[in-house]
Amino acid sequence: MKITFYGHSTFEIDFNGTKLLFDPFFTGNPLHSNFDTNQLNAKWILVSHGHGDHVSDVEDIAKNNGAKLISNYEVVNWFEKKGVTGHPLNHGGKYTFDFGRVKYVNAIHTSSMPDGANGGNPGGFVVWDDDSCFYFAGDTGLTLDMKLIPMTCPKLDFAILPIGDNFTMGYEDAAIAAEFIECDTIIGCHYDTFGYIKIDKSKAIEAFKKKNKNLILPSIGESINI
Ligand code: NI
Ligand code: MN
């Protein structure tokens, strides 16, 4: 799988030939505002919750790429009123798409839309097919519910976890989350974008190393293969 980090919580994952874009936030990202989203070629956009730093470019990219949205019922409903096509999920539910299975799992956070409308309850995604499986946690604190993922989904190849603290778990709790989900390869996100979430990256990597976990922190625009 080719994973490209676009800053904050925005990732494009080439999932065995299908491009999945997660939480697109270019407009308003002080670290990555000049990116031309026309170069993206996403088939699906997966959105964890309604906050502006996760949805600011959903409408434009969906329309330019002809991409469909996957999110919770309220987020999908809000974007459908703007002409975006979507597939609604809710917590604990999974659905088999043409590229694989997606399960919407719990996140401990809030979820309002940029205009203040109800954004449902926030979540994360576990995505898999016969060969690969990964977890995109969205914005969340550490929660025991994460232990349900290895009980109900295939073995994770990697997981994308927030590590920036303040609005989500910090890296110390995220290292515990890596144990809960029984995953050794973690890509960190949701850090350094704003003042509240600036971190010491070497300390974060060390916190994971103490638990024999590998924390990968790609630079913005960098692609890695897992
Ligand atoms: Ni949020
Ligand atoms: Mn956020």
Side-chain angles (χ1 to χ4, degrees):
M1 257 173 292
K2 185 181 169 195
I3 302 139
T4 307
F5 179 52
Y6 286 116
H8 203 53
S9 295
T10 306
F11 287 85
E12 186 185 71
I13 298 182
D14 190 329
F15 189 68
N16 303 318
T18 302
K19 284 186 175 157
L20 311 176
L21 183 68
F22 290 80
D23 286 2
F25 172 55
F26 297 98
T27 305
N29 182 344
L31 301 184
H32 206 201
S33 53
N34 291 325
F35 183 76
D36 176 12
T37 57
N38 286 317
Q39 66 188 273
L40 295 171
N41 193 18
K43 186 136 188 256
W44 297 90
I45 302 172
L46 289 83
V47 166
S48 62
H49 65 297
H51 288 160
D53 60 322
H54 299 259
V55 304
S56 68
D57 294 272
V58 168
E59 185 182 350
D60 278 355
I61 296 170
K63 289 177 179 172
N64 290 344
N65 287 194
K68 289 186 195 162
L69 174 65
I70 301 172
S71 189
N72 71 35
Y73 176 79
E74 288 79 5
V75 170
V76 167
N77 202 34
W78 193 82
F79 277 107
E80 281 184 338
K81 287 181 189 148
K82 297 177 179 294
V84 173
T85 308
H87 180 108
L89 293 168
N90 219 325
H91 295 86
K94 63 182 181 304
Y95 185 82
T96 305
F97 295 86
D98 54 4
F99 60 87
R101 285 199 163 170
V102 179
K103 184 171 188 178
Y104 194 60
V105 297
N106 200 26
I108 302 295
H109 194 65
T110 55
S111 178
S112 45
M113 305 309 300
D115 65 355
N118 175 20
N121 288 316
F125 299 99
V126 184
V127 179
W128 73 90
D129 64 7
D130 290 343
D131 305 316
S132 343
C133 181
F134 68 91
Y135 169 44
F136 177 88
D139 280 5
T140 184
L142 178 64
T143 164
L144 284 168
D145 283 355
M146 290 167 176
K147 291 190 174 189
L148 296 172
I149 290 173
M151 293 169 69
T152 60
C153 301
K155 171 99 184 109
L156 294 169
D157 296 301
F158 69 94
I160 297 173
L161 302 179
I163 59 168
D165 224 325
N166 193 80
F167 296 119
T168 67
M169 56 189 174
Y171 55 76
E172 305 93 335
D173 285 5
I176 298 169
E179 294 182 318
F180 284 1
I181 60 175
E182 299 175 11
C183 184
D184 294 334
T185 304
I186 305 296
I187 302 170
C189 71
H190 213 277
Y191 66 93
D192 280 1
T193 318
F194 318 109
Y196 291 142
I197 60 174
K198 288 217 162 47
I199 65 161
D200 182 329
K201 291 199 261 185
S202 58
K203 281 186 182 159
I205 290 165
E206 194 55 39
F208 278 75
K209 208 175 271 173
K210 272 188 200 145
K211 296 185 180 294
N212 293 315
K213 307 286 187 189
N214 184 23
L215 177 66
I216 305 168
L217 300 176
S219 44
I220 294 175
E222 186 182 349
S223 296
I224 56 173
N225 282 291
I226 294 179

